[in-house]
PDB file of all heavy atoms in Angstrom:
ATOM      1  N   ILE A  48     -17.058  36.131 -14.630  1.00 97.00           N
ATOM      2  CA  ILE A  48     -16.924  35.856 -16.063  1.00 97.00           C
ATOM      3  C   ILE A  48     -18.305  35.576 -16.634  1.00 97.00           C
ATOM      4  O   ILE A  48     -19.033  34.718 -16.127  1.00 97.00           O
ATOM      5  CB  ILE A  48     -16.001  34.639 -16.307  1.00 97.00           C
ATOM      6  CG1 ILE A  48     -14.627  34.887 -15.683  1.00 97.00           C
ATOM      7  CG2 ILE A  48     -15.883  34.339 -17.798  1.00 97.00           C
ATOM      8  CD1 ILE A  48     -13.767  33.641 -15.595  1.00 97.00           C
ATOM      9  N   GLU A  49     -18.661  36.276 -17.688  1.00 97.00           N
ATOM     10  CA  GLU A  49     -19.955  36.032 -18.331  1.00 97.00           C
ATOM     11  C   GLU A  49     -19.985  34.637 -18.939  1.00 97.00           C
ATOM     12  O   GLU A  49     -18.997  34.173 -19.507  1.00 97.00           O
ATOM     13  CB  GLU A  49     -20.213  37.071 -19.419  1.00 97.00           C
ATOM     14  CG  GLU A  49     -20.523  38.440 -18.884  1.00 97.00           C
ATOM     15  CD  GLU A  49     -20.952  39.386 -19.993  1.00 97.00           C
ATOM     16  OE1 GLU A  49     -21.593  38.932 -20.959  1.00 97.00           O
ATOM     17  OE2 GLU A  49     -20.631  40.577 -19.872  1.00 97.00           O
ATOM     18  N   GLU A  50     -21.138  34.004 -18.817  1.00 96.00           N
ATOM     19  CA  GLU A  50     -21.309  32.646 -19.337  1.00 96.00           C
ATOM     20  C   GLU A  50     -20.902  32.547 -20.804  1.00 96.00           C
ATOM     21  O   GLU A  50     -20.149  31.646 -21.189  1.00 96.00           O
ATOM     22  CB  GLU A  50     -22.769  32.218 -19.160  1.00 96.00           C
ATOM     23  CG  GLU A  50     -23.067  30.828 -19.657  1.00 96.00           C
ATOM     24  CD  GLU A  50     -24.503  30.419 -19.413  1.00 96.00           C
ATOM     25  OE1 GLU A  50     -24.996  30.552 -18.268  1.00 96.00           O
ATOM     26  OE2 GLU A  50     -25.136  29.964 -20.373  1.00 96.00           O
ATOM     27  N   SER A  51     -21.386  33.457 -21.630  1.00 95.00           N
ATOM     28  CA  SER A  51     -21.089  33.382 -23.060  1.00 95.00           C
ATOM     29  C   SER A  51     -19.601  33.559 -23.333  1.00 95.00           C
ATOM     30  O   SER A  51     -19.046  32.893 -24.220  1.00 95.00           O
ATOM     31  CB  SER A  51     -21.911  34.407 -23.840  1.00 95.00           C
ATOM     32  OG  SER A  51     -21.595  35.719 -23.404  1.00 95.00           O
ATOM     33  N   ALA A  52     -18.931  34.419 -22.578  1.00 96.00           N
ATOM     34  CA  ALA A  52     -17.490  34.621 -22.773  1.00 96.00           C
ATOM     35  C   ALA A  52     -16.719  33.351 -22.422  1.00 96.00           C
ATOM     36  O   ALA A  52     -15.791  32.954 -23.146  1.00 96.00           O
ATOM     37  CB  ALA A  52     -16.999  35.794 -21.923  1.00 96.00           C
ATOM     38  N   LEU A  53     -17.095  32.699 -21.332  1.00 96.00           N
ATOM     39  CA  LEU A  53     -16.429  31.463 -20.944  1.00 96.00           C
ATOM     40  C   LEU A  53     -16.670  30.366 -21.976  1.00 96.00           C
ATOM     41  O   LEU A  53     -15.737  29.680 -22.404  1.00 96.00           O
ATOM     42  CB  LEU A  53     -16.894  31.004 -19.564  1.00 96.00           C
ATOM     43  CG  LEU A  53     -16.268  29.696 -19.069  1.00 96.00           C
ATOM     44  CD1 LEU A  53     -14.751  29.799 -18.972  1.00 96.00           C
ATOM     45  CD2 LEU A  53     -16.866  29.309 -17.726  1.00 96.00           C
ATOM     46  N   LEU A  54     -17.920  30.207 -22.401  1.00 96.00           N
ATOM     47  CA  LEU A  54     -18.231  29.171 -23.383  1.00 96.00           C
ATOM     48  C   LEU A  54     -17.524  29.429 -24.709  1.00 96.00           C
ATOM     49  O   LEU A  54     -17.062  28.483 -25.365  1.00 96.00           O
ATOM     50  CB  LEU A  54     -19.742  29.047 -23.569  1.00 96.00           C
ATOM     51  CG  LEU A  54     -20.488  28.454 -22.368  1.00 96.00           C
ATOM     52  CD1 LEU A  54     -21.993  28.611 -22.547  1.00 96.00           C
ATOM     53  CD2 LEU A  54     -20.106  27.003 -22.143  1.00 96.00           C
ATOM     54  N   ASP A  55     -17.416  30.699 -25.117  1.00 96.00           N
ATOM     55  CA  ASP A  55     -16.681  31.033 -26.342  1.00 96.00           C
ATOM     56  C   ASP A  55     -15.209  30.653 -26.204  1.00 96.00           C
ATOM     57  O   ASP A  55     -14.608  30.117 -27.136  1.00 96.00           O
ATOM     58  CB  ASP A  55     -16.813  32.515 -26.671  1.00 96.00           C
ATOM     59  CG  ASP A  55     -18.184  32.902 -27.189  1.00 96.00           C
ATOM     60  OD1 ASP A  55     -18.985  31.999 -27.529  1.00 96.00           O
ATOM     61  OD2 ASP A  55     -18.465  34.123 -27.231  1.00 96.00           O
ATOM     62  N   ALA A  56     -14.633  30.934 -25.042  1.00 96.00           N
ATOM     63  CA  ALA A  56     -13.230  30.592 -24.814  1.00 96.00           C
ATOM     64  C   ALA A  56     -13.035  29.075 -24.792  1.00 96.00           C
ATOM     65  O   ALA A  56     -12.081  28.546 -25.377  1.00 96.00           O
ATOM     66  CB  ALA A  56     -12.737  31.208 -23.509  1.00 96.00           C
ATOM     67  N   LEU A  57     -13.953  28.368 -24.136  1.00 94.00           N
ATOM     68  CA  LEU A  57     -13.844  26.911 -24.073  1.00 94.00           C
ATOM     69  C   LEU A  57     -13.969  26.264 -25.447  1.00 94.00           C
ATOM     70  O   LEU A  57     -13.370  25.219 -25.697  1.00 94.00           O
ATOM     71  CB  LEU A  57     -14.905  26.335 -23.128  1.00 94.00           C
ATOM     72  CG  LEU A  57     -14.715  26.637 -21.642  1.00 94.00           C
ATOM     73  CD1 LEU A  57     -15.895  26.093 -20.844  1.00 94.00           C
ATOM     74  CD2 LEU A  57     -13.401  26.088 -21.128  1.00 94.00           C
ATOM     75  N   ALA A  58     -14.726  26.891 -26.327  1.00 94.00           N
ATOM     76  CA  ALA A  58     -14.930  26.332 -27.672  1.00 94.00           C
ATOM     77  C   ALA A  58     -13.626  26.215 -28.451  1.00 94.00           C
ATOM     78  O   ALA A  58     -13.523  25.395 -29.372  1.00 94.00           O
ATOM     79  CB  ALA A  58     -15.942  27.175 -28.452  1.00 94.00           C
ATOM     80  N   VAL A  59     -12.620  27.001 -28.073  1.00 95.00           N
ATOM     81  CA  VAL A  59     -11.339  26.974 -28.795  1.00 95.00           C
ATOM     82  C   VAL A  59     -10.180  26.626 -27.867  1.00 95.00           C
ATOM     83  O   VAL A  59      -9.018  26.838 -28.214  1.00 95.00           O
ATOM     84  CB  VAL A  59     -11.075  28.330 -29.512  1.00 95.00           C
ATOM     85  CG1 VAL A  59     -12.116  28.566 -30.589  1.00 95.00           C
ATOM     86  CG2 VAL A  59     -11.047  29.480 -28.516  1.00 95.00           C
ATOM     87  N   SER A  60     -10.498  26.076 -26.702  1.00 94.00           N
ATOM     88  CA  SER A  60      -9.469  25.783 -25.710  1.00 94.00           C
ATOM     89  C   SER A  60      -9.474  24.307 -25.330  1.00 94.00           C
ATOM     90  O   SER A  60     -10.428  23.581 -25.602  1.00 94.00           O
ATOM     91  CB  SER A  60      -9.711  26.621 -24.443  1.00 94.00           C
ATOM     92  OG  SER A  60      -9.695  27.993 -24.743  1.00 94.00           O
ATOM     93  N   SER A  61      -8.430  23.894 -24.653  1.00 94.00           N
ATOM     94  CA  SER A  61      -8.278  22.490 -24.281  1.00 94.00           C
ATOM     95  C   SER A  61      -9.329  22.013 -23.281  1.00 94.00           C
ATOM     96  O   SER A  61      -9.603  20.820 -23.198  1.00 94.00           O
ATOM     97  CB  SER A  61      -6.881  22.245 -23.707  1.00 94.00           C
ATOM     98  OG  SER A  61      -6.665  23.049 -22.560  1.00 94.00           O
ATOM     99  N   GLY A  62      -9.928  22.923 -22.529  1.00 91.00           N
ATOM    100  CA  GLY A  62     -10.971  22.544 -21.573  1.00 91.00           C
ATOM    101  C   GLY A  62     -12.350  22.443 -22.185  1.00 91.00           C
ATOM    102  O   GLY A  62     -13.309  22.096 -21.504  1.00 91.00           O
ATOM    103  N   GLY A  63     -12.452  22.712 -23.472  1.00 90.00           N
ATOM    104  CA  GLY A  63     -13.742  22.683 -24.149  1.00 90.00           C
ATOM    105  C   GLY A  63     -14.168  21.277 -24.512  1.00 90.00           C
ATOM    106  O   GLY A  63     -13.403  20.325 -24.430  1.00 90.00           O
ATOM    107  N   SER A  64     -15.431  21.154 -24.888  1.00 92.00           N
ATOM    108  CA  SER A  64     -15.982  19.861 -25.291  1.00 92.00           C
ATOM    109  C   SER A  64     -17.215  20.091 -26.158  1.00 92.00           C
ATOM    110  O   SER A  64     -17.698  21.217 -26.286  1.00 92.00           O
ATOM    111  CB  SER A  64     -16.380  19.042 -24.065  1.00 92.00           C
ATOM    112  OG  SER A  64     -17.494  19.647 -23.429  1.00 92.00           O
ATOM    113  N   THR A  65     -17.727  19.029 -26.689  1.00 94.00           N
ATOM    114  CA  THR A  65     -18.974  19.095 -27.442  1.00 94.00           C
ATOM    115  C   THR A  65     -20.087  19.654 -26.564  1.00 94.00           C
ATOM    116  O   THR A  65     -20.941  20.400 -27.035  1.00 94.00           O
ATOM    117  CB  THR A  65     -19.348  17.692 -27.960  1.00 94.00           C
ATOM    118  OG1 THR A  65     -18.278  17.231 -28.787  1.00 94.00           O
ATOM    119  CG2 THR A  65     -20.629  17.705 -28.756  1.00 94.00           C
ATOM    120  N   VAL A  66     -20.068  19.311 -25.297  1.00 95.00           N
ATOM    121  CA  VAL A  66     -21.095  19.798 -24.370  1.00 95.00           C
ATOM    122  C   VAL A  66     -21.143  21.321 -24.368  1.00 95.00           C
ATOM    123  O   VAL A  66     -22.223  21.915 -24.405  1.00 95.00           O
ATOM    124  CB  VAL A  66     -20.865  19.265 -22.941  1.00 95.00           C
ATOM    125  CG1 VAL A  66     -21.798  19.933 -21.953  1.00 95.00           C
ATOM    126  CG2 VAL A  66     -21.030  17.767 -22.887  1.00 95.00           C
ATOM    127  N   GLY A  67     -20.000  21.960 -24.308  1.00 95.00           N
ATOM    128  CA  GLY A  67     -19.958  23.425 -24.306  1.00 95.00           C
ATOM    129  C   GLY A  67     -20.619  24.011 -25.541  1.00 95.00           C
ATOM    130  O   GLY A  67     -21.352  25.001 -25.457  1.00 95.00           O
ATOM    131  N   ARG A  68     -20.391  23.383 -26.676  1.00 94.00           N
ATOM    132  CA  ARG A  68     -21.025  23.851 -27.914  1.00 94.00           C
ATOM    133  C   ARG A  68     -22.542  23.639 -27.864  1.00 94.00           C
ATOM    134  O   ARG A  68     -23.305  24.463 -28.341  1.00 94.00           O
ATOM    135  CB  ARG A  68     -20.396  23.161 -29.123  1.00 94.00           C
ATOM    136  CG  ARG A  68     -18.943  23.599 -29.349  1.00 94.00           C
ATOM    137  CD  ARG A  68     -18.355  23.096 -30.641  1.00 94.00           C
ATOM    138  NE  ARG A  68     -18.267  21.638 -30.735  1.00 94.00           N
ATOM    139  CZ  ARG A  68     -17.284  20.903 -30.233  1.00 94.00           C
ATOM    140  NH1 ARG A  68     -16.300  21.478 -29.585  1.00 94.00           N
ATOM    141  NH2 ARG A  68     -17.275  19.588 -30.391  1.00 94.00           N
ATOM    142  N   TYR A  69     -22.970  22.542 -27.263  1.00 96.00           N
ATOM    143  CA  TYR A  69     -24.412  22.301 -27.119  1.00 96.00           C
ATOM    144  C   TYR A  69     -25.052  23.315 -26.169  1.00 96.00           C
ATOM    145  O   TYR A  69     -26.175  23.755 -26.394  1.00 96.00           O
ATOM    146  CB  TYR A  69     -24.685  20.882 -26.616  1.00 96.00           C
ATOM    147  CG  TYR A  69     -24.441  19.779 -27.616  1.00 96.00           C
ATOM    148  CD1 TYR A  69     -24.427  18.456 -27.210  1.00 96.00           C
ATOM    149  CD2 TYR A  69     -24.225  20.040 -28.968  1.00 96.00           C
ATOM    150  CE1 TYR A  69     -24.218  17.417 -28.112  1.00 96.00           C
ATOM    151  CE2 TYR A  69     -24.010  19.007 -29.874  1.00 96.00           C
ATOM    152  CZ  TYR A  69     -24.007  17.706 -29.446  1.00 96.00           C
ATOM    153  OH  TYR A  69     -23.796  16.695 -30.331  1.00 96.00           O
ATOM    154  N   ILE A  70     -24.354  23.653 -25.095  1.00 97.00           N
ATOM    155  CA  ILE A  70     -24.874  24.649 -24.160  1.00 97.00           C
ATOM    156  C   ILE A  70     -25.062  25.978 -24.884  1.00 97.00           C
ATOM    157  O   ILE A  70     -26.105  26.626 -24.760  1.00 97.00           O
ATOM    158  CB  ILE A  70     -23.943  24.809 -22.940  1.00 97.00           C
ATOM    159  CG1 ILE A  70     -23.938  23.522 -22.111  1.00 97.00           C
ATOM    160  CG2 ILE A  70     -24.361  26.009 -22.082  1.00 97.00           C
ATOM    161  CD1 ILE A  70     -22.849  23.472 -21.044  1.00 97.00           C
TER     162      ILE A  70
END
Side-chain angles (χ1 to χ4, degrees):
I48 302 167
E49 288 188 33
E50 180 178 309
S51 61
L53 179 60
L54 290 170
D55 287 347
L57 291 176
V59 295
S60 301
S61 60
S64 68
T65 301
V66 171
R68 292 188 297 277
Y69 288 169
I70 294 169

